[in-house]
Amino acid sequence: NGATANRVAGNLDKALDMYIRAVEIYRYTGNSKTYQMASIYHNMSHIYQEKGQHSTALIFLDNALDIISAFDDSDAEIATTYVCMALSHMAVNDMEKAEEKLDKAMQYYDTDDGKQDGHYGSALSAWGEFYWHKKDYEKAIEFYNKTIEVDPNYAEAYSNLGLIYCLQAQDFSEKATTD
């Protein structure tokens, strides 16, 4: 769709305008509680996350969650939404809510179906980011390694591991020079 193509191309404002227009059409036609509407809200939240407007992103994720929670067999979509919510909570340093959302997401990802889900690696990576924010580098490394085990092509996990190893080396170096 055009809005998604614009988002990928970095035309965030144009993409957002297109999504807003789609929301208006869905509401006008009485389709405001459809899976497609939830998907639009979810996509809008990504734009707000990319713009650093995490409070607004959370509003759209809440809207998406309200809709998809009403559908049967929506556990995967609900879990993915919780992961996205956790990332926005981390971005505003609300680690308690981030942990709560990640715990809820893992209720699905810890199941057999969840472990086969294409977003499982993203959930594990989010836990890595959570522990990185808390400066628990060993736990962060553990989750990034799990991410790589599940999805060896998850480039961000490798990058984040490298950054954590650099931080650990820097901490070690600083301790050595002060001792």
Side-chain angles (χ1 to χ4, degrees):
N1 101 18
T4 301
N6 273 290
R7 179 180 153 239
V8 171
N11 303 321
L12 300 182
D13 290 330
K14 187 172 183 177
L16 195 54
D17 287 343
M18 294 175 90
Y19 283 129
I20 289 168
R21 181 70 181 127
V23 167
E24 290 169 353
I25 292 168
Y26 274 85
R27 285 183 179 155
Y28 179 77
T29 59
N31 292 306
S32 61
K33 296 293 184 187
T34 63
Y35 183 83
Q36 291 81 3
M37 182 68 117
S39 180
I40 291 168
Y41 284 147
H42 198 101
N43 289 336
M44 291 174 78
S45 77
H46 288 299
I47 292 172
Y48 286 112
Q49 286 174 324
E50 290 173 40
K51 293 176 121 195
Q53 298 174 9
H54 294 281
S55 296
T56 304
L58 285 164
I59 291 167
F60 283 95
L61 288 165
D62 278 331
N63 290 340
L65 188 60
D66 285 344
I67 294 169
I68 58 176
S69 295
F71 291 100
D72 292 333
D73 300 322
S74 61
D75 293 343
E77 292 83 0
I78 291 169
T80 301
T81 304
Y82 281 135
V83 170
C84 291
M85 292 171 120
L87 293 171
S88 278
H89 284 300
M90 281 186 250
V92 298
N93 208 28
D94 188 344
M95 302 307 286
E96 187 176 319
K97 284 188 180 175
E99 185 173 26
E100 173 191 319
K101 300 303 181 190
L102 288 172
D103 281 337
K104 287 182 177 185
M106 293 311 289
Q107 291 175 8
Y108 168 71
Y109 289 118
D110 283 338
T111 67
D112 290 338
D113 285 344
K115 289 177 182 170
Q116 300 302 313
D117 190 287
H119 293 100
Y120 182 43
S122 296
L124 294 171
S125 181
W127 273 113
E129 186 171 337
F130 174 81
Y131 285 112
W132 183 357
H133 277 273
K134 293 184 68 118
K135 296 188 182 345
D136 186 342
Y137 297 137
E138 294 305 316
K139 286 291 275 187
I141 289 168
E142 176 187 331
F143 275 98
Y144 286 129
N145 281 327
K146 285 181 182 180
T147 302
I148 292 166
E149 188 179 308
V150 168
D151 184 356
N153 297 315
Y154 204 103
E156 187 178 337
Y158 292 101
S159 174
N160 289 345
L161 270 175
L163 291 170
I164 290 170
Y165 289 136
C166 285
L167 288 170
Q168 285 182 316
Q170 183 180 1
D171 288 349
F172 179 77
S173 176
E174 287 173 4
K175 279 184 179 177
T177 58
T178 58
D179 287 345

